[in-house]
Amino acid sequence: MNRRSAEASKQKITESARQVFADQGYAQASMRTIAREAGISVGGLYLYFRNKEELYLTLMQEWMDNLNGTTREALRKIDDPRESLRAFITITIDFTRGHREMIILQGRELGFTFGIDLKKQFFRERRQIITGIIRRGIDAGIFRQCDADEAARIIFNVLRGFVISMVIDEEALFSAGGCVDLVLNGLLRRNEG
Amino acid sequence: MNRRSAEASKQKITESARQVFADQGYAQASMRTIAREAGISVGGLYLYFRNKEELYLTLMQEWMDNLNGTTREALRKIDDPRESLRAFITITIDFTRGHREMIILQGRELGFTFGIDLKKQFFRERRQIITGIIRRGIDAGIFRQCDADEAARIIFNVLRGFVISMVIDEEALFSAGGCVDLVLNGLLRRNEG
DNA sequence: GCTTCAGCTGAACGCCTGTTCATGTGAAAG
DNA sequence: CTTTCACATGAACAGGCGTTCAGCTGAAGC
């Protein structure tokens, strides 16, 4: 019987949990399923995580850190608010496409209140980044005068909708480019020249 | 012991179920909770609905019919694509604000595949309405050339995000007016004149 | 009174869940 | 060989769920 290191086991558990939570949601995902996927006993899960909730919160924190880190890194090098916005939207959508598990953050786990404050803080930070970009654009005379906070919320919700669509409604998906285009240019025709 | 009519009992059950499903999601909502809210025995639920799934699907169908009916009724009287889009967005957001239970349609009930085709068909119809409005705008020279289908999807996803935000993130909500403004005008400054 | 009808009840059933903990096992050290 | 360490097991526990169905009850009809 070959034993893995504790670290390797913990890793395997989080990988499996990520997948199972993403596929089935918190309520439906059972510790037995996660254990089976991880190739470890159900009692073994509790050697690494206090309970199901803690396992879930650990994954949430992980994804929030990943996405925010990637976003900040990319935005650091961009000055033009148009490009900043493009980068923000593109990174978010690409990240989401490659990580279906992102649904963990947008999941509507009603009946479960834990982690909601953590999520809200994360969402707030995301919106503030967008607000900052929009304000920069307004100050630079590139974007028109508007309620930057609200515009940020609208953009934020497009991306929230994208995450949901990824999971339940793939026909509703759209491209980052198309989204940036609509957000920047709107639908109304512009005077040429 | 005063007995209600069957109709009244069924009504009470659906009202209670609507609330409980909306608050707790499908998985967490228990038939015992719904029964208690309805003031009827748990076994009594099964006199009217075959099972939990059928109860849920009944409610889904109801909301889809309501929203689509209201939308079509309003759009019938509008010619200007700008006003059509405004109406669509406004109705959806207002309806959502007044019916938190709308989350039933956007809920991510992973692990439960029933009703998904019904939902997709509903979503498809919604998007087609938007696409139609956008095409009309383009044909009339009011909207710029763009991929109408994709633009519709983007707008659809803003509204999808709104529903989710209603339930898990009220800070992220936005006004119908603000949304229409952004969708029509975009962020970029326009030449004055 | 008895019978029928309409609406209802809630304990029981079978199944599943999160969690615990007595116990197990291979490897290394002495 | 024995002891210790590190990692692990899975049956049992307590609780909850969706569903069933034997039985109940008030009202109306005869």
Side-chain angles (χ1 to χ4, degrees):
Chain A
M1 183 187 299
N2 292 321
R3 290 296 172 85
R4 292 172 293 198
S5 67
E7 199 47 48
S9 288
K10 189 171 183 180
Q11 182 75 3
K12 192 69 179 144
I13 292 170
T14 53
E15 282 169 5
S16 300
R18 190 181 295 141
Q19 195 62 50
V20 176
F21 279 136
D23 286 344
Q24 304 181 21
Y26 181 81
Q28 288 299 105
S30 75
M31 295 299 264
R32 285 173 175 80
T33 301
I34 292 168
R36 189 161 50 242
E37 289 295 318
I40 189 171
S41 69
V42 65
L45 298 185
Y46 296 85
L47 296 176
Y48 303 96
F49 299 94
R50 192 156 45 95
N51 51 38
K52 188 180 181 183
E53 182 173 316
E54 185 183 279
L55 175 56
Y56 187 80
L57 289 178
T58 299
L59 294 179
M60 259 177 53
Q61 192 63 63
E62 186 180 291
W63 285 111
M64 289 193 275
D65 293 344
N66 280 355
L67 182 55
N68 268 350
T70 304
T71 305
R72 285 207 194 90
E73 186 65 31
L75 291 185
R76 242 185 43 219
K77 312 165 194 160
I78 307 179
D79 286 325
D80 189 307
R82 284 164 294 196
E83 294 311 309
S84 295
L85 201 53
R86 181 185 305 277
F88 186 92
I89 291 171
T90 303
I91 286 165
T92 305
I93 285 181
D94 288 348
F95 198 85
T96 303
R97 281 187 185 275
H99 302 88
R100 195 167 176 281
E101 311 90 60
M102 274 281 294
I103 191 73
I104 284 183
L105 295 182
Q106 304 290 353
R108 186 218 59 177
E109 247 83 21
L110 291 179
F112 302 104
T113 53
F114 62 85
I116 192 65
D117 288 338
L118 214 54
K119 282 189 186 179
K120 281 190 173 176
Q121 180 55 34
F122 173 69
F123 299 148
R124 207 172 286 135
E125 284 171 24
R126 302 287 286 170
R127 286 198 298 277
Q128 278 162 6
I129 294 176
I130 308 176
T131 298
I133 294 171
I134 295 174
R135 286 222 173 100
R136 253 176 45 233
I138 292 173
D139 290 346
I142 297 173
F143 293 167
R144 63 191 176 91
Q145 288 289 338
C146 67
D147 181 340
D149 280 319
E150 185 166 51
R153 293 198 293 277
I154 294 163
I155 294 165
F156 175 81
N157 275 280
V158 176
L159 300 175
R160 164 164 277 159
F162 188 88
V163 176
I164 304 296
S165 295
M166 269 283 307
V167 175
I168 69 169
D169 188 16
E170 290 192 355
E171 293 174 29
L173 295 179
F174 50 87
S175 69
C179 183
V180 172
D181 179 41
L182 186 65
V183 165
L184 289 181
N185 295 302
L187 281 175
L188 291 181
R189 271 187 78 176
R190 288 169 185 258
N191 301 325
E192 310 294 20
Chain B
M1 180 187 307
N2 290 320
R3 291 295 171 89
R4 291 172 293 199
S5 67
E7 198 49 48
S9 287
K10 187 170 182 180
Q11 182 74 6
K12 192 68 180 147
I13 292 169
T14 53
E15 283 169 5
S16 300
R18 188 181 298 139
Q19 195 61 50
V20 176
F21 278 136
D23 286 345
Q24 304 180 17
Y26 182 80
Q28 289 299 106
S30 76
M31 295 300 263
R32 287 173 173 81
T33 300
I34 292 169
R36 189 160 51 241
E37 289 296 317
I40 189 172
S41 70
V42 64
L45 296 185
Y46 296 85
L47 297 176
Y48 302 97
F49 298 95
R50 192 156 44 98
N51 52 36
K52 189 179 181 184
E53 183 173 316
E54 186 183 278
L55 175 56
Y56 187 79
L57 288 177
T58 300
L59 295 178
M60 261 178 54
Q61 192 62 63
E62 185 180 294
W63 286 110
M64 288 193 276
D65 294 341
N66 280 355
L67 182 55
N68 268 350
T70 304
T71 305
R72 287 211 193 88
E73 185 65 30
L75 291 186
R76 239 186 44 219
K77 312 164 192 162
I78 307 178
D79 286 325
D80 188 309
R82 283 164 297 198
E83 293 312 309
S84 296
L85 201 52
R86 181 184 303 279
F88 187 92
I89 290 171
T90 303
I91 287 165
T92 305
I93 284 181
D94 288 348
F95 197 84
T96 302
R97 281 188 184 276
H99 302 89
R100 192 166 177 278
E101 311 90 63
M102 272 282 292
I103 191 74
I104 284 183
L105 295 181
Q106 305 289 354
R108 185 219 59 179
E109 247 83 24
L110 293 179
F112 302 106
T113 53
F114 62 86
I116 192 64
D117 288 338
L118 213 54
K119 282 189 186 179
K120 281 189 172 177
Q121 180 53 32
F122 172 69
F123 299 149
R124 204 173 285 134
E125 284 171 22
R126 301 288 285 171
R127 288 198 298 276
Q128 279 163 5
I129 294 175
I130 308 176
T131 298
I133 293 172
I134 296 173
R135 288 223 171 99
R136 253 177 46 230
I138 292 173
D139 290 346
I142 296 172
F143 293 167
R144 65 192 174 91
Q145 288 289 339
C146 65
D147 181 341
D149 280 320
E150 184 166 52
R153 294 199 292 278
I154 294 163
I155 294 164
F156 175 81
N157 274 278
V158 176
L159 300 174
R160 165 165 275 161
F162 187 88
V163 175
I164 303 297
S165 296
M166 268 283 306
V167 174
I168 68 169
D169 189 16
E170 290 193 354
E171 293 174 30
L173 294 179
F174 51 87
S175 69
C179 184
V180 172
D181 179 41
L182 188 65
V183 166
L184 289 182
N185 294 303
L187 281 175
L188 291 180
R189 274 187 77 176
R190 288 172 184 257
N191 300 325
E192 311 295 21

